[in-house]
Amino acid sequence: MAMFECLILGDSIGVGTATALVARHAIHCDVMAVERVRAGQILGWRKPAKRYRTSILAIGSNDRPGTRLVGDLVKIRASITTRRAIWLLPYSREMAPLVNSVAVAFGDESIDLKRFATSDQIHPHRYDDVARALLK
């Protein structure tokens, strides 16, 4: 398999996805993901000065809806140098369209987490399913 160099940026969904990619598919990604993190906090992180082939963004599940969130997501996306960006849309039907609007504005891809089984409406049961969807 070709090297899938990537950045995973975000919250606990990013952590789980990164773990699945490494454990199941032996794929290395730079991971900047922390449980319960919000977009405003990520905005303050120093991003790697690197150009990524793919960036996976798992942001928005811990935020409140609104224009500030959209503005923060736009700033985060603008700070990443990547050939391809894939947003993992939150289970929340209130948050998913907001996150997706940023993906659309940048011409990015998105994967709606709603298509994966969940018991808490925040995290997928099997992150391996998310990893497989990312690798298609």
Side-chain angles (χ1 to χ4, degrees):
M1 175 184 306
M3 186 66 162
F4 184 86
E5 185 174 340
C6 68
L7 169 68
I8 298 177
L9 182 66
D11 54 28
S12 58
I13 295 163
V15 172
T17 300
T19 301
L21 284 169
V22 170
R24 302 271 196 260
H25 302 282
I27 291 173
H28 170 73
C29 295
D30 290 342
V31 179
M32 296 182 70
V34 178
E35 291 184 14
R36 297 188 187 102
V37 73
R38 294 180 311 279
Q41 294 168 296
I42 293 171
L43 193 54
W45 293 353
R46 177 183 223 122
K47 313 301 180 298
K50 209 171 171 181
R51 179 174 174 82
Y52 290 94
R53 185 173 173 189
T54 302
S55 295
I56 300 162
L57 300 115
I59 308 168
S61 292
N62 300 310
D63 289 276
R64 294 175 194 252
T67 55
R68 179 183 175 132
L69 170 63
V70 172
D72 287 348
L73 293 174
V74 166
K75 290 175 189 169
I76 290 166
R77 176 60 181 90
S79 73
I80 298 166
T81 305
T82 189
R83 188 179 325 158
R84 179 183 182 206
I86 306 168
W87 294 80
L88 299 179
L89 304 181
Y91 282 96
S92 164
R93 296 299 85 188
E94 190 173 14
M95 301 302 286
L98 297 175
V99 175
N100 195 53
S101 71
V102 177
V104 168
F106 280 89
D108 295 339
E109 300 169 52
S110 62
I111 294 176
D112 195 344
L113 291 176
K114 195 70 169 174
R115 69 189 239 200
F116 305 106
T118 182
S119 57
D120 64 3
Q121 296 303 307
I122 298 171
H123 305 97
H125 277 303
R126 294 177 26 91
Y127 283 99
D128 192 45
D129 294 340
V130 178
R132 276 197 300 269
L134 287 165
L135 294 173
K136 285 187 178 178

